[in-house]
């Protein structure tokens, strides 16, 4: 009869006019699946659903479809939504409403993605952990934190480990900030794909196959990625062999990639510490596969590599003939690798003076790497700065978790 | 039930209202459909004169779809209710436009037991979808907003943990551009004779153009394989795999009317399929069903791989067979 009471409650709320903010606490234990899901359904805008400390054993994906709800746990290690026994749904938690705040809880071993927020504008992920506890396995889910088709996304102080695609993946969205987060043992640590106006700042990406990826792909409903700032990150020792299931685009990411830009326009890479990424600290390339989408520009445009700190790296490239190549460059490949392709109108890549780099000099888009004729990088220096205006998530999202 | 017998029953339900009235004065409770509450029990709606036998109340009209959605082999009983004095309106071959106050009702049966009834209520602020679980005594069904799991035996004799979707999951399939919409009653997937009966009964304005164009599922493979396969994909997949719906970001559009091969999967690369892609490069490889992600995911029940993501505890072997035949017959 609990459900009936819930329904009666809704009726009472409706009769009372706009609901006031309420706190609904859900504890772990027997019936957690139904109790938590019911709380997420019956919550009114403005309510806070609070997870007690403990391990919530869940059998099905959860979902939230009410605007302005906060889902708050007792801490990143204290409140754990455990999906080890999941039987249904493509993700652990699905959010489809606006102005939602997710904070201070963990998701473990979801069968598909960790948390997906789709068409969920102005969402905040704060101190969220998504972990596949078996380490980097191709049977892990694709994305840990997965906002898509959304405007206004803040991912802050979060952590993802074990994603078989990208730990934090923001796709087909705009006005995005990913900051202060730890991504490790994923194929891609952080990936910004087909998105506009994104700030990736102050993150630690380590022991992934590739640390931070900025992609633009063809054939998607939202096209034309660009205006992405990757600044002040520590991208170190991304040394895990690519464990993406075959058939996925990130399956092509080379072990030991620090920051990778594929296609895209107006990208600033500055103030990062790039260390011991053994294929390339920074890689800028065109889309590698054939495509038919006429809306698509497969070339990188105006990717600015500013001042970064480069330490070690390039010593064991995950490339065909990589060992010989590294030897040819004196034992290590230079920090910045460009495939040598541009659209013939806009410079693909610009680097500040003194940036060590090389070009593969591919003859055309889609060519095999072995067709290249490698040479030292010879590209223009940036003419002034780019992306000076406000970039990233709206301030309101930061204010929501301040203090 | 063969389609003709079915129509007979439908006609009986329309014409038999007076008889039922005489026996049991059950009437649909219009307030339960339209007012701002979540009725806790299915009986509150008064949709059935005899709930256990699924005998509809006057004005509640059974219908079938030419090609139905597969739900682990459940037997499904569908009903539509249009408030007295009002009419549904045709909308080409697409979704029939039901007036506010209308309801769509679907009951799921396994092994001759009623498991759940899902209702869609057309309220002033849009459609609302609610799941109800039948009690042991088979006398009534109670609202389960958070859904439920229960053991059932499928017609193939397989024991599964059957999932009644929660209220949000209803929207995952029924959501389009942020609104909740019905999925089943599209004119193209309904019998022309039934639609004509509805017009005669005064609950539908006219038989829509383009109605009854999707093939009957029972006759699959007898006519054009492509039509059967595309109808199957439309009904089973396109509620998510279309622009504006849950899987829009995949770029895969499996609607019946989509005629661009790349959009419905031919040599389309996966976007966010993860391990669901199964090591394959394209959704559909003409002539290569075993190299087609679409078929691979239909043919799995593993969460994270299986499609559809919801409401699937078993593989639809008939569905897999017709899609396999279609892909195999495509010219490479």
């Amino acid at each position: 009869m609990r459900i009936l009471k819930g329904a009666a409650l809704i009726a009472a709320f409706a009769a009372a006019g706009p609901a006031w903010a309420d706190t609904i606490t859900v504890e772990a234990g027997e019936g957690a699946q139904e109790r938590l899901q019911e709380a997420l359904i019956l919550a009114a805008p403005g309510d806070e659903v609070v997870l007690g400390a403990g391990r919530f054993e869940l059998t099905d994906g959860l979902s939230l479809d009410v605007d302005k709800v906060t889902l708050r746990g007792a801490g990143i290690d204290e409140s754990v939504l455990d999906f080890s026994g999941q039987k249904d749904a493509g993700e652990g938690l699905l959010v489809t409403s606006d102005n939602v705040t997710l904070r201070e809880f963990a998701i473990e071993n979801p069968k598909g993605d960790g948390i997906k927020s789709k068409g969920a504008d102005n969402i905040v992920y704060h101190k969220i952990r998504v972990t596949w506890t078996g380490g980097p396995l191709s049977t892990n889910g694709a994305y840990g934190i997965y906002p898509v088709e959304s405007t206004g996304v803040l991912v802050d102080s979060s952590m993802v480990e074990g994603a078989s695609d990208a730990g934090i993946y923001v796709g087909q969205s705009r006005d995005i900030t990913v900051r202060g987060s730890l991504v490790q043992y994923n194929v891609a640590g952080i990936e910004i794909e087909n998105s506009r106006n994104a700030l990736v700042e102050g993150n630690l990406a380590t022991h992934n196959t590739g640390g931070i990826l900025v992609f633009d792909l063809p054939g998607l409903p939202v096209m034309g990625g660009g205006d992405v700032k990757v600044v002040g990150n520590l991208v170190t020792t991304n040394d895990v062999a690519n464990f993406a299931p075959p058939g996925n685009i990130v399956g092509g990411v080379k072990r030991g990639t620090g920051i990778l830009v594929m296609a895209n326009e107006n990208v600033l890479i500055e103030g990062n510490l790039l260390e011991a990424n053994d294929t390339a600290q920074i890689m800028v390339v065109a889309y590698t596969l054939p495509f038919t989408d006429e809306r698509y520009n497969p070339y990188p445009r105006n990717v600015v590599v500013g001042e970064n700190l480069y330490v070690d790296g390039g010593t064991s490239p995950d490339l065909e003939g990589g060992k010989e190549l590294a030897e040819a460059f004196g034992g290590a490949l230079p920090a910045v690798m460009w495939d040598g392709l541009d659209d013939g109108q806009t410079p693909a890549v610009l680097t500040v003076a003194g940036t060590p780099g090389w070009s593969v000099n591919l003859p055309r888009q889609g060519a095999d790497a072995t067709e290249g004729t490698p040479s030292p990088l010879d590209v223009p220096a940036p003419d002034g700065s780019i992306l000076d205006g406000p970039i990233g998530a709206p301030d309101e999202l930061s204010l929501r978790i301040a203090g | 039930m063969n389609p003709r017998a079915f129509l007979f029953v439908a006609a009986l339900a329309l014409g038999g209202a007076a008889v039922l009235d005489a026996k049991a004065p059950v009437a649909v409770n219009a307030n339960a459909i339209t007012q701002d509450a979540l009725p806790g029990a299915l009986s509150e709606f008064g949709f059935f004169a005899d709930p256990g036998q699924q005998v509809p109340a006057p004005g509640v009209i059974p219908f079938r779809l030419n090609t139905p959605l597969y739900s682990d082999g459940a037997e499904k009983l569908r009903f539509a209710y249009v408030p007295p004095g009002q009419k549904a309106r045709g909308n080409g071959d697409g979704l029939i436009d039901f007036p506010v106050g209308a309801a769509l009702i679907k009951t799921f049966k396994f092994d001759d037991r009623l498991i759940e009834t899902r209702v869609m209520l057309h309220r002033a602020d849009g459609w609302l979808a609610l799941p109800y679980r039948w009690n042991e005594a088979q006398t009534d069904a109670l609202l389960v907003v958070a859904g439920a799991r229960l053991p059932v035996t499928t017609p193939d004799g397989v024991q599964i943990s059957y999932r009644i979707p929660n209220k949000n999951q209803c929207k995952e399939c029924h959501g389009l551009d942020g609104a909740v919409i019905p999925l089943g009653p599209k004119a193209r997937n309904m019998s022309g004779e039934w639609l004509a009966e509805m017009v005669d009964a005064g609950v539908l304005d006219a038989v829509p153009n383009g109605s009854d164009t999707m093939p009957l599922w029972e006759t699959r493979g007898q006519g054009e394989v492509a039509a059967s396969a595309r109808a199957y994909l439309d009904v089973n997949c396109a509620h998510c795999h279309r622009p504006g719906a849950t899987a829009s970001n995949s770029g895969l559009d499996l609607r019946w009317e989509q005629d661009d091969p790349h959009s419905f999967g031919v040599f389309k690369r996966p976007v966010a399929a993860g391990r669901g892609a199964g090591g394959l490069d394209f959704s559909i490889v003409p002539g290569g069903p075993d190299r087609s992600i679409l078929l691979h995911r239909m043919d799995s029940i593993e969460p994270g791989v299986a499609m559809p993501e919801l409401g699937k505890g078993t593989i639809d072997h008939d569905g897999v067979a017709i899609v396999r035949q279609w892909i195999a017959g495509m010219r490479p």
Side-chain angles (χ1 to χ4, degrees), chain A residues 212-215 253 257-262 281-285:
Chain A
I212 298 173
L213 276 49
V214 182
F215 274 21
V253 176
T257 301
I259 296 171
L260 168 60
V261 179
M262 186 167 76
Q281 309 273 30
I282 296 175
M283 192 186 288
V284 180
V285 297

Side-chain angles (χ1 to χ4, degrees), chain A residues 39 60 100 123 127 155 162 173 239 263 281 296 323 396:
Chain A
D60 292 281
V100 164
I123 189 165
K127 295 187 180 172
V155 180
S173 294
D239 56 357
Q281 309 273 30
Y296 185 57
K323 189 162 172 278
E396 184 270 323

Side-chain angles (χ1 to χ4, degrees), chain A residues 48-373:
Chain A
E48 184 161 290
V49 176
V50 175
L51 300 168
R55 187 164 282 271
F56 294 70
E57 311 278 354
L58 301 165
T59 55
D60 292 281
L62 298 167
S63 54
L64 172 61
D65 189 38
V66 183
D67 291 345
K68 281 189 78 177
V69 167
T70 296
L71 177 59
R72 179 201 292 262
I76 206 162
D77 290 320
E78 281 72 20
S79 298
V80 178
L81 305 181
D82 182 351
F83 287 92
S84 301
Q86 188 179 359
K87 295 175 178 166
D88 210 344
E91 57 282 309
L93 170 63
L94 174 67
V95 178
T96 47
S97 46
D98 297 337
N99 296 300
V100 164
T101 306
L102 306 172
R103 57 187 301 171
E104 291 149 278
F105 63 89
I107 299 247
E108 288 188 2
N109 299 322
K111 290 293 188 280
D113 304 312
I115 305 177
K116 179 175 178 180
S117 48
K118 180 166 183 288
D121 294 345
N122 295 323
I123 189 165
V124 174
Y125 293 82
H126 173 61
K127 295 187 180 172
I128 293 294
R129 174 171 68 84
V130 178
T131 311
W132 283 272
T133 58
L137 299 172
S138 66
T139 48
N140 293 347
Y143 305 131
I145 291 176
Y146 178 14
V148 64
E149 290 185 353
S150 301
T151 298
V153 173
L154 172 61
V155 180
D156 173 81
S157 306
S158 293
M159 174 183 165
V160 181
E161 183 171 331
S164 69
D165 196 308
I168 298 170
Y169 168 98
V170 186
Q172 302 179 57
S173 294
R174 56 186 311 130
D175 305 344
I176 301 146
T177 297
V178 177
R179 70 180 186 203
S181 294
L182 166 63
V183 282
Q184 58 181 357
Y185 299 102
N186 308 288
V187 173
I190 296 167
E191 182 173 349
I192 308 292
E193 185 173 286
N194 291 50
S195 291
R196 277 272 158 188
N197 192 21
L199 174 64
V200 180
E201 184 171 30
N203 302 284
L204 169 56
T206 184
H207 300 305
N208 306 285
T209 304
I212 298 173
L213 276 49
V214 182
F215 274 21
D216 196 33
L217 299 181
L220 299 189
V222 179
M223 299 284 296
D227 301 337
V228 181
K229 242 170 142 166
V230 182
V231 294
N233 300 282
L234 173 54
V235 183
T236 175
T237 326
N238 287 290
D239 56 357
V240 169
N242 196 314
F243 62 99
N248 288 274
I249 189 78
V250 294
V253 176
K254 305 301 182 189
R255 171 192 49 74
T257 301
I259 296 171
L260 168 60
V261 179
M262 186 167 76
N264 236 279
E265 67 176 348
N266 303 338
V267 180
L268 175 63
I269 302 170
E270 192 170 66
N272 302 284
L273 170 54
L274 292 134
E275 181 195 37
N277 298 296
D278 273 341
T279 295
Q281 309 273 30
I282 296 175
M283 192 186 288
V284 180
V285 297
Y287 182 65
T288 55
L289 302 169
F291 64 94
T292 53
D293 189 338
E294 287 170 7
R295 303 169 296 167
Y296 185 57
N297 185 333
Y299 301 101
R301 286 96 68 205
N302 202 26
V303 176
V304 173
V305 178
E307 298 285 356
N308 296 283
L309 194 55
Y310 306 103
V311 181
D312 300 332
T315 53
S316 162
D318 182 14
L319 302 170
E320 204 173 320
K323 189 162 172 278
E324 294 73 21
L325 258 176
E327 278 165 11
F329 277 100
L333 292 178
V336 177
M337 169 188 158
W338 175 40
D339 64 1
L341 297 171
D342 59 40
D343 69 1
Q345 295 166 32
T346 311
V349 55
L350 307 97
T351 61
V352 292
T355 303
W358 68 291
S359 170
V360 186
N361 291 318
L362 288 184
R364 67 191 173 279
Q365 191 266 336
D368 192 85
T370 55
E371 294 181 64
T373 51

Side-chain angles (χ1 to χ4, degrees), chain A residues 3-4 7 14 37 41 60 63 65 87-90 94 111 118 139-140 143 146 149 172 220-221 245-248 289, chain B residues 36 38 40 143 145-146 149 163 166 168 171-172 245-246 248-249 269-272 274-275 279-281 303 309-310:
Chain A
I3 288 164
L4 290 174
Q37 183 59 68
I41 288 173
D60 292 281
S63 54
D65 189 38
K87 295 175 178 166
D88 210 344
L94 174 67
K111 290 293 188 280
K118 180 166 183 288
T139 48
N140 293 347
Y143 305 131
Y146 178 14
E149 290 185 353
Q172 302 179 57
L220 299 189
N248 288 274
L289 302 169
Chain B
D36 191 17
L38 309 182
L143 178 65
V145 282
R149 278 198 171 275
R163 173 77 187 159
N166 67 51
N168 286 353
K171 190 177 166 184
E172 282 181 44
T246 294
S248 59
N249 58 301
R269 291 183 187 278
V271 175
R275 71 197 174 94
L280 306 173
D281 288 330
E309 289 180 342
L310 296 179

